[in-house]
Amino acid sequence: MSVIYLLITISIFVAVGFFIAFVIAVKSGQYDDDYTPSVRMLFDDETVKSESRNKKIVFASQDAEANSKKEKTQ
């Protein structure tokens, strides 16, 4: 029975040690993602271009509607 108490005590110390090591690693920035922002930069331009294209299409269709209304009233 004393062996079980010894093993439980040792396992608690090991678990606390791993937890402390994990907290230190997180605080030092070990798990920060440095790769994704550099890759995201490659895809940002495409979304901006497509949004600007959509705006141009919307503005062009609005201009066409306004011109057709003007022609109908004249």
Side-chain angles (χ1 to χ4, degrees), residues 25-26 28-42:
V26 168
S28 69
Q30 182 71 29
Y31 293 107
D32 288 345
D33 186 15
D34 295 333
Y35 180 70
T36 303
S38 63
V39 173
R40 190 180 315 135
M41 179 181 69
L42 299 174

Side-chain angles (χ1 to χ4, degrees), residues 1-71:
M1 193 67 158
S2 64
V3 172
I4 292 176
Y5 293 133
L6 178 66
L7 289 175
I8 290 174
T9 306
I10 291 171
S11 66
I12 289 173
F13 281 122
V14 169
V16 168
F18 278 117
F19 180 72
I20 291 171
F22 174 73
V23 169
I24 290 171
V26 168
K27 287 190 180 214
S28 69
Q30 182 71 29
Y31 293 107
D32 288 345
D33 186 15
D34 295 333
Y35 180 70
T36 303
S38 63
V39 173
R40 190 180 315 135
M41 179 181 69
L42 299 174
F43 297 108
D44 282 344
D45 289 342
E46 292 179 12
T47 58
V48 170
K49 286 180 183 176
S50 65
E51 287 176 5
S52 64
R53 284 184 201 150
N54 290 339
K55 288 180 183 178
K56 287 179 184 177
I57 292 170
V58 168
F59 290 138
S61 64
Q62 289 173 350
D63 288 340
E65 288 175 12
N67 288 338
S68 66
K69 288 180 183 178
K70 285 180 185 178
E71 289 175 3

